[in-house]
Amino acid sequence: MATETHCPYCSLQCGMRLTGRRTPEVSAWEEFPVNRGALCRKGWAAAGLYGGRERLTSPLVRDRGTGEWSAVSWDDALDRFVAGIRAAQAAKGPDGVAVFGGGGLTNEKAYALGKLARVALGTSQIDYNGRWCMSSAASAGIRAFGVDRGLPFPLADVEEADVLVLVGSNLAETMPPAARHLDRLRERGGRVVVIDPRRTPTAERADLHLQPVPGTDLPLALGVLHLLVAAGAVDEAYLAERVTGWEPVRESVAAWWPERVERVTGVEATEVRALTDMLGASPRVMVLTARGAEQHSTGSDTVLGWINVALALGMVGRRGAGYGCLTGQGNGQGGREHGQKADQLPGYRRIDDPAARAHVAGVWGVDPDSLPGPGRSAYELLDALGTPDGPSALLVLGSNIVVSAPRATHVTSRLEALDLLVVCDVVMSETAALADVVLPVTQWAEETGTMTNLEGRVVLRQRAITPPSGVRSDLEVIAAIADRLGSTASFPTDPEEVFVELGRASAGGPADYSAITYDRIRAEQGVFWGGERLFAESFAHPDGRARMLAVEHRGAAEQPCADYPVHLTTGRVLAQYQSGAQTRRVRSLPDEGPFVELHPQLAGRLGVATGEPVRVATRRGEMTAPARVVATIRPDTVFVPFHWVGANRLTNDALDPASRMPEFKVCAARLTPVEEVAQRPSRDPVTHA
Ligand code: SF4
């Protein structure tokens, strides 16, 4: 009999059916409304997660002297872990231990991990890799609308827009089943605008493609709003009735005339005017941002700039229009709602809110005063590891930090400085390889749990196959640690029981799951928290009005210079997912390895052809990969995919002041043909700090 479940990868959480108890077979689940049976090649190949010989089935400990791994019993591994926790906390207090989660963990795991940190470990030092994915949009959404739900409407509403503006999204390549909405929109006569430094497969489908300099999506938004004001296209009645803060925003865009926008962004003034004319004349405009706009040290302000455009047009809350963020990670939405963020308690409650602390402490059966306060954000937490003031022990669940962290060489050195690193994983990932203890856990179809997709739809991944003997679920690992630490709070291991408790802890919070049950999810094919469509009547601020906030263009933290003359940007390819820890091991998916995409003009100056090795260097590190010469990228920009070790050795750890998002999407780089490198290595000024 087939089990109805969801893809192990991205935030679309496509429905699929699985058959087979040991090795699953994937088939279409046509009735599931998000993807109607369609899957991308990663989804069709998902069963390949179970074909490899690399699966870990026994706890492992590493001898630091010899580097040798030994298989040990679960009791021995957990005892060693707990002894390390006690030693770290005896030396440094409760914050001597840190926890790092992931945006791919189920809601139940994210919730249990936050509870483990705050109740059993008593540490404030917990954050997760979703901080690096959607946090700028989340921060902007909370400030503008009073709540963060990536899409405040079903994704299918895209088809009803007259103009869809995609800012920094390569939808057609990152979540292909969603691209059908773009086709249907255009069949209806609607138009698609793509803003991206690369002419991606998504841009190929667009009616208008603007190719700004990386890091300049905000001045483009400011220029668009300037022209909308000049054209009298602003919906003043909507702003008067539903929005606060319009006048300062109007003044802030006064100086962003199109020619200035062209100088800053590289987008011709005529194109800025063409976009604005299109927006001003359309009854339903939808703006969606994604990582291209958000993964910057100015990401929150950039999102606010585009929200201001949508609000000024009176679009937010109107069906087939408005603003949304296209979340990336599988449980990027739910993962940021239930307590694995440094500043947060379940239900998207703030950890510094006394009423929130009292409510959650009541559910957990502990004194509110015993809960720690806010901790460090993801990058800041990793940067502090092993320092005199930072944690000396770390537990990692669902994250491959060595590949996915910015300034990865430095972060790796921080991991190596720990007294104890414990990693729960299914394979020996690059991060697990650095650990002292590796705990083998169940994955995807071997376990049940909920995910919240990019629309805020809570879906149920159901256990379909039997896990190998020797592995435990993350919930069992969390419960075992809490038990060994003598925690008096309960840590259930049954996912449905955890979900019921999560519902109680989230009740009354901004993301309230208390009315959602596993039975409802099964019966309704997913349940939206907060309702299917938000903002039709009011926003989530106490006065019901949205906030417009004036934002200024600051530019990328690092600009090209004589030593590092080009922009480097990073991103994804179709066949791989995030750090590649899963997809690089699926044999039926092509593992092409990293490459350096560059324009023929730049390639000509360097004397590099497609396939020839080229070295990319930034102030933080370097990598060498084959060149891929394409005319679809800006001549001043190079692109490197981040699924393999290398790209994030280059990226900048400059943080957005509001979201603490690192600047993955732009930094200054230098390219050198490898033959030239060999001739003058001693003059290489690149640092590896
Ligand atoms: Fe769907 Fe994303 Fe899975 Fe592809 S990776 S099948 S788009 S959920």
Side-chain angles (χ1 to χ4, degrees), residues 7 9-14 38-40 42-44 174-177:
C7 175
Y9 305 119
C10 87
S11 67
L12 205 55
Q13 282 301 288
C14 292
L39 300 170
C40 76
K42 295 190 291 290
W44 286 119
T174 54
M175 46 180 74

Side-chain angles (χ1 to χ4, degrees), residues 160-435:
E160 300 176 31
D162 296 302
V163 177
L164 172 68
V165 184
L166 291 169
V167 192
S169 166
N170 184 9
L171 195 71
E173 202 165 7
T174 54
M175 46 180 74
R180 74 189 192 283
H181 299 305
L182 273 55
D183 297 335
R184 293 202 186 128
L185 180 159
R186 295 185 73 206
E187 284 161 18
R188 271 190 45 253
R191 284 168 292 177
V192 175
V193 179
V194 171
I195 298 170
D196 196 311
R198 302 166 65 218
R199 189 165 184 83
T200 62
T202 311
E204 290 290 345
R205 296 177 186 225
D207 298 275
L208 179 63
H209 174 212
L210 307 184
Q211 249 178 312
V213 172
T216 63
D217 293 327
L218 173 55
L220 191 55
L222 299 174
V224 167
L225 192 47
H226 169 97
L227 285 175
L228 289 173
V229 172
V234 169
D235 188 339
E236 299 282 356
Y238 173 94
L239 293 173
E241 186 188 342
R242 302 205 55 189
V243 176
T244 298
W246 169 226
E247 279 310 318
V249 171
R250 185 204 300 268
E251 289 167 19
S252 73
V253 299
W256 283 98
W257 52 90
E259 289 70 24
R260 182 183 174 201
V261 174
E262 179 176 327
R263 277 202 305 279
V264 174
T265 67
V267 176
E268 290 181 10
T270 51
E271 291 183 308
V272 183
R273 288 194 173 92
L275 170 59
T276 310
D277 290 347
M278 203 187 283
L279 300 184
S282 299
R284 285 169 302 187
V285 173
M286 183 181 286
V287 179
L288 301 179
T289 63
R291 306 301 81 70
E294 299 162 9
Q295 288 181 317
H296 294 270
S297 62
T298 57
S300 301
D301 284 354
T302 299
V303 175
L304 285 169
W306 285 101
I307 288 175
N308 286 344
V309 170
L311 286 170
L313 289 164
M315 295 295 161
V316 184
R318 185 180 295 183
R319 181 153 175 167
Y323 166 80
C325 151
L326 291 161
T327 292
Q329 289 175 287
N331 198 27
Q333 181 71 47
R336 66 187 191 254
E337 295 169 349
H338 297 298
Q340 62 175 330
K341 274 177 82 176
D343 50 0
Q344 188 197 73
L345 289 172
Y348 228 132
R349 288 184 156 93
R350 291 177 60 108
I351 202 166
D352 58 2
D353 172 2
R357 294 169 66 86
H359 173 83
V360 175
V363 174
W364 288 347
V366 300
D367 180 350
D369 291 339
S370 71
L371 299 178
R376 294 177 171 97
S377 76
Y379 181 77
E380 291 162 301
L381 174 56
L382 298 178
D383 190 34
L385 296 175
T387 63
D389 297 330
S392 53
L394 176 70
L395 169 65
V396 178
L397 258 81
S399 190
N400 190 8
I401 296 164
V402 168
V403 180
S404 61
R407 198 183 167 199
T409 307
H410 170 71
V411 168
T412 300
S413 74
R414 299 311 333 144
L415 293 172
E416 289 168 341
L418 287 165
D419 293 336
L420 179 72
L421 173 61
V422 178
V423 174
C424 294
D425 213 324
V426 297
V427 292
M428 190 60 83
S429 70
E430 288 82 357
T431 306
L434 294 181

Side-chain angles (χ1 to χ4, degrees), residues 84-127:
I85 291 171
R86 292 194 197 287
Q89 294 192 322
K92 293 191 161 180
D95 284 356
V97 175
V99 176
F100 200 89
L105 298 177
T106 62
N107 290 318
E108 292 80 356
K109 293 181 189 181
Y111 168 81
L113 196 62
K115 183 177 174 182
L116 176 80
R118 275 58 177 254
V119 175
L121 294 167
T123 181
S124 69
Q125 301 298 294
I126 175 169
D127 213 64

